Amino acid sequence: MSAPAKPSGEPITSKRQLVEYIESGCKPAEAWRIGTEHEKFGFTMDDLRPLAYEGERGIRAMLEGLSRFGWRPVLENGTLIALIDDTGSSVTLEPGGQLELSGAPLETIHQTCVETYTHLKQVKDVAAPLDIGFLGVGFQPKWRREDTPWMPKGRYRIMRDYMPKRGSKGLDMMLRTCTVQVNLDFASEADMARKFQVSLALQPLATALFASSPFIEGKPSGLLSTRSDVWTDTDPDRCGMLPFVFEPGFGFERYVDYMLDVPMYFVYRDGQYIDASGQSFRDFMAGRLPALPGQVPTIGDWMDHLTTAFPEVRLKKYLEMRGADSGPWRRICALPALWVGLLYDTAALDGAWDLVKDWSIEERERLRTAVPREGLAARVGGRSLEEIGEDVLDLAAIGLKNRARLSESGRDESIYLEPLMAILQSGRTPAEEMLEAYIGRWQGSVDPLFAEYAY
């Protein structure tokens, strides 16, 4: 989750200003970039427990250790909560201590893969002497919610209190999930709308391909992506498949209307989070926010508010793909490969739209609901996701080949689709491989997962 924006700019009193902020993300194709983020669970190697913030083997010690690689500290009330560098990258903390790399906006997936590898090597260099490990899966496989320490960030205290009022799994989302996502650009309002529609319709395919969270509290959960299932009962005001995205005329203003209907969490002022949970950004614009009567928001407040909705695809000044479980290094590189291949090439984007354009609202919702449990066997439009996935990966490969961004060894970016192609060829999600190991060589224990799937 992002650091708060600094309150800045002219007062916001009209919806048009909010639309223009998102619209300002439009850029020509040659300026499109790839921003990849991934989260991971830290654990102590001797007892596999989640990391506390304090202590010789805590999250703060990890952040302090990483600072030797040129990262600069970010403090909240004197507490180290994040790291930044000059490239636009940051290392941040999720509520349960999940460590997140938010990567720089890069030109190629080759660069993304190098960035991810470099970060994971730095993390390992710091963690190894502390006898700490990091795990890339979608849901904490062993420990209960009550066993997970909370990180000392003000916005998380507000969310912690509000989440249980809106769903039964919001605290699980905060404390026990990890994801990988990619942030991508658009050229115009029409380009944004088409990319939003295609990526939202196909987000369940990404959930199936990356499903790697079949355990909860040491036992099979009955799901392949427990992380994805958590989002179905987190907060109906701010999650889901957004049917309005597929309506005629969808554009920036319609998304702004949606965000204005999403209840607020907080306002950030003078280094403090002010609880505005459940209150209305519309009232804020009118100077009637109960938490700050008489004040109106700035663009910084709008930027913060945009981070508090959690649909399967999220719009800011770019589009965020949010459907995938976290995983090993090669699958972290595979997620941007999938979406860049589909969305950054016109022929691939048109082909992907042809695959999904006839799906009804009801079919998309059923698919979203089914995929955490059924994975690649989930069906839509008379076909399984395994079948659809073959067509989608073919399109993504074409898109990446057409981009012709070559590595030093002369290979294009389609090489990063290979882990996903292997999943389709086997017909088994990563979660199903884990379950097979659990029944077999792990002898009914999830503990070996911490060794086999650690970075």
Side-chain angles (χ1 to χ4, degrees), residues 279-352:
Q279 297 176 27
S280 164
F281 204 91
R282 296 180 195 273
D283 288 344
F284 197 7
M285 291 167 62
R288 297 193 303 265
L289 191 71
L292 282 176
Q295 293 195 32
V296 295
T298 67
I299 282 294
D301 295 315
W302 179 237
M303 291 165 63
D304 284 341
H305 186 57
L306 287 172
T307 71
T308 66
F310 311 118
E312 293 295 285
V313 176
R314 181 163 67 183
L315 175 62
K316 297 178 182 174
K317 291 168 73 170
Y318 45 83
L319 286 165
E320 300 179 348
M321 310 293 116
R322 297 175 47 82
D325 285 5
S326 192
W329 172 64
R330 292 190 72 212
R331 285 208 300 275
I332 294 172
C333 304
L335 188 81
L338 172 65
W339 293 117
V340 168
L342 290 177
L343 304 186
Y344 275 9
D345 178 76
T346 301
L349 182 61
D350 289 345

Side-chain angles (χ1 to χ4, degrees), residues 351-388:
W353 176 241
D354 285 341
L355 287 175
V356 306
K357 64 184 180 182
D358 294 328
W359 298 352
S360 68
I361 292 173
E362 293 76 19
E363 285 177 312
R364 289 192 298 268
E365 290 293 340
R366 281 198 300 270
L367 181 64
R368 169 67 184 91
T369 302
V371 78
R373 187 174 303 277
E374 300 177 18
L376 292 168
R379 300 182 68 83
V380 61
R383 304 177 74 203
S384 70
L385 281 181
E386 185 176 353
E387 296 173 280
I388 294 166

Side-chain angles (χ1 to χ4, degrees), residues 155-173:
R155 69 182 284 167
Y156 296 159
R157 286 193 294 274
I158 293 169
M159 293 170 67
R160 177 182 187 173
D161 292 339
Y162 183 73
M163 282 285 186
K165 301 174 183 177
R166 301 301 301 135
S168 69
K169 298 179 180 177
L171 298 183
D172 285 326
M173 179 277 288

